[in-house]
Amino acid sequence: MTSAVPHPDTSEFQVNCAVITVSDTRTPETDKSGQLIHQFLQNLSYPILDYQIVKDEPKEIIKLLKKLCQIPELDACIFHGGTGISPRDTTYDALEKLLEKTLPGFGEIFRALSYNEIGSRAIASRAIAGVCQGKLVFSVPGSSPAVKLAMEKLILPELAHLVKVLRQY
């Protein structure tokens, strides 16, 4: 399936990002999905202004996003991990409270694309995206296949455009 771009971005555009791994067990050395996000962003020469691993604790996630939103030059935060339904999966619950605007299509399309890869288990994903204090926020599952899918099919194709829209105001 070919997707048409309604209004392509014609100029080079830098997007400053933060990569946040939500995990109780990962370290920088074992954070394969975080490394994958780094690689995708570096391939487009998008600076990574911050990289952190945070425990799957709502208060810590909320505190971190609020801190990141205070960085004037930061455009987007990409969280991964903690989006399922287990008692320890609290990323969605923490971030959803802070989003002033949500992009419902992000989660909907992510789950639809995931369904093509993993079948009905896609319903357990609570991927979400939106805007918090003028910053784009994406939250995807922590598995490398999920990160790859989200980055290739949804986040990277629209990241520069969405940041441009936010910067217009």
Side-chain angles (χ1 to χ4, degrees):
M1 175 166 87
T2 306
S3 63
V5 178
H7 34 76
D9 295 312
T10 55
S11 63
E12 292 294 317
F13 192 78
Q14 179 174 299
V15 178
N16 297 314
C17 299
V19 178
I20 309 303
T21 301
V22 180
S23 174
D24 294 332
T25 59
R26 291 192 185 160
T27 66
E29 297 75 32
T30 63
D31 184 14
K32 301 300 181 203
S33 295
Q35 294 166 14
L36 187 59
I37 295 170
H38 274 79
Q39 189 61 55
F40 276 114
L41 295 172
Q42 290 168 347
N43 288 347
L44 293 174
S45 299
Y46 288 167
I48 300 166
L49 303 185
D50 201 347
Y51 165 69
Q52 293 190 43
I53 298 175
V54 63
K55 297 280 185 206
D56 203 338
E57 294 289 342
K59 288 180 182 176
E60 290 187 36
I61 296 166
I62 289 168
K63 181 179 173 183
L64 178 55
L65 181 56
K66 286 181 177 179
K67 178 182 160 201
L68 291 169
C69 286
Q70 299 308 307
I71 302 172
E73 60 275 10
L74 183 67
D75 297 306
C77 302
I78 303 171
F79 286 77
H80 67 100
T83 61
I85 61 167
S86 82
R88 290 296 302 153
D89 290 329
T90 63
T91 306
Y92 174 91
D93 308 291
L95 296 179
E96 185 267 339
K97 294 174 186 176
L98 298 177
L99 298 178
E100 294 132 15
K101 293 185 179 188
T102 60
L103 300 172
F106 176 81
E108 294 162 358
I109 295 170
F110 177 81
R111 283 180 286 280
L113 293 170
S114 294
Y115 180 82
N116 292 331
E117 292 188 5
I118 64 171
S120 60
R121 288 227 172 129
I123 68 169
S125 167
R126 297 189 301 154
I128 189 172
V131 178
C132 179
Q133 297 180 32
K135 314 295 183 193
L136 280 173
V137 178
F138 296 95
S139 178
V140 299
S143 75
S144 292
V147 163
K148 182 177 186 296
L149 175 71
M151 293 297 289
E152 286 182 339
K153 301 289 186 182
L154 296 172
I155 296 173
L156 294 180
E158 294 302 321
L159 189 56
H161 173 72
L162 293 171
V163 169
K164 282 183 184 179
V165 170
L166 287 175
R167 285 186 184 175
Q168 289 176 358
Y169 300 99

